[in-house]
Amino acid sequence: MEKQFKQMASLIGDPVRATIMWNLMDGKALTATELALMSDTSPQNISMHLTKLVEGGLLSVENQGRHRYYKYSRKEIAYAIEALTTLLSPSTTNENFNNENFQAIKYCRTCYDHLAGKIGVAITDKLLKQRIIVTDKQGFELTNKGKKWFADLGIDIDELQLQRRSFLRPCLDWSERRHHIAGSLAAALLDKMLSSDWIRRTKNSRAMVITSKGQKVFYEMFTISV
């Protein structure tokens, strides 16, 4: 296991490969050309790095026409990358305190396929307070009240629990240093927010914009003022 850990750490630790892994955090599959531009490197160099990440089991590739799209091979990898950012010291993140995009990312962003940032943590707090979810030895557990609450939103709990991935788990938020919810349930909640136009994605950023409709819903559902 130690040998495998060292191999995994060396894969992620390279600056170009770290940039690749970071830029896939918004959940979009990207081409080698897009990743080369983001990494400020040549097509030949990015190809070599992508091959190593695919062979190492961190990325998967899908052919679509003449394009090849790269993404995380499994969702748990996104959680691991997000967790690594919690190792950043507060002084490091404070260097970007006045950066407008950085503030937007801290406030409300995606963590791969679920909601994070100040709003993500605040929603998790309210779900706990309302006993829609409760803490247990594994992290979080959905209550019977919670099953009805999510069903009322049109989210099929039984279908989500059949998926071959974590259903509900805590994810440590790097900017808030507290947990928000992750897993298929959290992903379904984010999908509901997007399809209902409570929040919207922003171009070339993980930051999310809360709409006026979303502001009203967030206050009614979670007593969160945004």
Side-chain angles (χ1 to χ4, degrees):
M1 184 174 290
E2 180 181 353
K3 181 180 179 181
Q4 292 174 323
F5 175 77
K6 289 177 180 179
Q7 291 172 339
M8 192 70 65
S10 66
L11 274 175
I12 299 174
D14 178 89
V16 172
R17 293 195 289 272
T19 302
I20 291 171
M21 299 301 287
W22 181 255
N23 281 289
L24 290 171
M25 275 296 293
D26 66 357
K28 295 179 182 176
L30 298 174
T31 65
T33 300
E34 291 170 324
L35 290 166
L37 289 172
M38 292 172 176
S39 305
D40 192 25
T41 191
S42 67
Q44 295 79 11
N45 193 41
I46 204 72
S47 178
M48 179 268 290
H49 287 293
L50 288 170
T51 297
K52 287 187 176 182
L53 290 169
V54 171
E55 290 177 348
L58 293 178
L59 298 185
S60 63
V61 58
E62 180 178 334
N63 295 320
Q64 190 171 30
R66 61 188 182 90
H67 295 293
R68 288 163 61 85
Y69 290 89
Y70 295 86
K71 61 182 180 179
Y72 294 142
S73 60
R74 56 188 188 279
K75 298 180 185 298
E76 287 75 15
I77 291 172
Y79 304 157
I81 298 300
E82 180 82 2
L84 283 174
T85 59
T86 63
L87 299 177
L88 296 174
S89 67
S91 61
T92 301
T93 56
N94 286 340
E95 291 176 4
N96 299 299
F97 185 78
N98 293 319
N99 182 284
E100 184 176 345
N101 184 57
F102 181 74
Q103 287 303 302
I105 286 175
K106 283 182 64 178
Y107 187 67
C108 187
R109 68 176 181 276
T110 54
C111 175
Y112 193 62
D113 63 355
H114 57 270
L115 201 64
K118 183 176 181 179
I119 294 299
V121 170
I123 288 174
T124 299
D125 286 344
K126 294 299 181 179
L127 293 176
L128 286 165
K129 185 176 181 179
Q130 297 173 21
R131 294 193 64 78
I132 292 170
I133 62 174
V134 294
T135 56
D136 64 8
K137 293 180 180 179
Q138 282 70 44
F140 293 141
E141 181 182 359
L142 185 66
T143 64
N144 288 330
K145 177 183 178 181
K147 292 177 182 178
K148 182 180 184 306
W149 188 87
F150 279 98
D152 289 343
L153 289 177
I155 295 175
D156 190 332
I157 299 298
D158 293 333
E159 181 181 345
L160 294 177
Q161 290 179 321
L162 292 175
Q163 294 183 13
R164 296 182 62 183
R165 59 171 297 191
S166 174
F167 171 67
L168 176 63
R169 63 183 294 274
C171 182
L172 187 58
D173 195 289
W174 64 262
S175 57
E176 294 297 307
R177 308 291 168 129
R178 297 175 58 229
H179 290 110
H180 56 252
I181 60 169
S184 61
L185 184 62
L189 182 58
L190 174 59
D191 288 343
K192 172 65 180 180
M193 292 178 177
L194 287 167
S195 63
S196 300
D197 197 35
W198 300 347
I199 58 176
R200 295 175 186 169
R201 298 185 185 276
T202 56
K203 188 176 181 180
N204 299 324
S205 175
R206 290 166 57 195
M208 306 293 283
V209 174
I210 303 173
T211 65
S212 56
K213 180 180 179 181
Q215 291 175 11
K216 181 180 179 182
V217 172
F218 280 12
Y219 185 78
E220 291 175 347
M221 294 178 64
F222 308 111
T223 62
I224 295 175
S225 298
V226 296

